Amino acid sequence: MKISVTILMLMVSVSSIGQSLEAIEARKIVFPNVTGYHTIICDLHQHTVFSDGAVWPSVRVMEAQRDGLDAIAVTEHLEYQPHKDDIPHPDRNRAFEIESSMVQAEELIVIPGSEITRSMPPGHANAIFIKDANKLLSDDYMEVYAEAKKQGAFIFWNHPDWTDQAPDGIARLTEIHRDLIDQQMLHGIEVVNMYTFSEEALSICLQENLTILGTSDVHGLIDWEYPVWFGGHRPVTLVFAEKRSMSSIKDALFAGRTAVWFNNTLIGRVEHLKPLLEASVKVTNVAYAGNTNVLEVSFSNVSDANFTMKNTSSYSLQRNSNIFELPAHTETTIRIKTITRLEGALNWKLEVLNTVVKPQTPATIELNLAIP
Ligand SMILES: [Zn+2]
Ligand SMILES: [Zn+2]
């Protein structure tokens, strides 16, 4: 009796472990590599109790591993230290040291950084790939930017649409920002921060040739701030790097090879989204259904994005309106009424509605479907 109860308890506990492992697997953010580059999944803006966050640095590493990230940056506020009385840390590199000591780079790449925290302009900025955060403490923000540049940092403007600093929520480039760009002390902008997407920031990135970024800027727990258990996810930057290494990520960021994954939307330059879409959505089969004139096109979506497609051809679809879904990690077959049996190939243009390549503009994909 005693034994069987123990066995029963064991079975129950094993099955509940099995379920949670499955759930942990499902929450991982997954995008395929693109031609020539690794797709590196990065969250480059995070806080802990070492500035105004609510968690010990180790939690950031564990969350990142659960979300399947490749890289995170440690970006405590330099000038805002509300927990200083409880956690006095004269060495501003401590949060990075704790996080980076927990993992090997093969598991998770931890990038040292700091958030330069000033009123607008220039507002807040993250300097990442820094060598020593302690040297970034100065009353003069230009000295801080100059020191970060001296350390080889990649510097990006944070939440330019933050209503505490831009009450109308519109990101605007000031003379100070222009000056920083000219002096190569500002290399990118958060087009996405936390729950916001700024079309104006995207415009500025495109006009000024700056790198497009999206970050969680998490202060509490990822699970409390983003609905991960309901298919949601934190915002991340997808970095297209030659290798999965710190230096390759840095090179790619300076070269502007990024896209942002935010709230089931991909945002980025056309030249970076197109290869990502091509790698994510593949046509697996094209054939007429039986003796009909209805063409069946099967898609395999190997990414985490639930794509919303818009048929821009003159043909109508048999089972969908002009707008249809290609769910994440799923095969989907779409039926096109081509009126007559086409021979050779069909050129099919589709808009991918949950992508943004410039304000108000989704990416398009052009499929050249060989008809057997
Ligand atoms: Zn900030
Ligand atoms: Zn922040």
Side-chain angles (χ1 to χ4, degrees), residues 27 43 63 67 216 218 220-226 228 234:
R27 67 178 284 156
D43 188 355
E63 286 175 327
D67 280 354
S216 74
V218 65
L221 291 172
I222 286 290
D223 285 62
W224 291 359
E225 297 189 7
Y226 300 98
V228 281
R234 68 168 96 189

Side-chain angles (χ1 to χ4, degrees), residues 160-195:
D161 57 339
W162 184 32
T163 45
D164 280 25
Q165 293 193 328
D168 59 4
I170 304 289
R172 289 184 187 85
L173 202 67
T174 66
E175 283 311 308
I176 285 172
H177 294 106
R178 205 171 285 284
D179 188 34
L180 289 169
I181 294 167
D182 290 346
Q183 296 193 55
Q184 281 141 38
M185 293 183 193
L186 194 61
H187 313 106
I189 307 182
E190 283 183 343
V191 163
V192 165
N193 174 280
M194 231 179 246
Y195 312 120

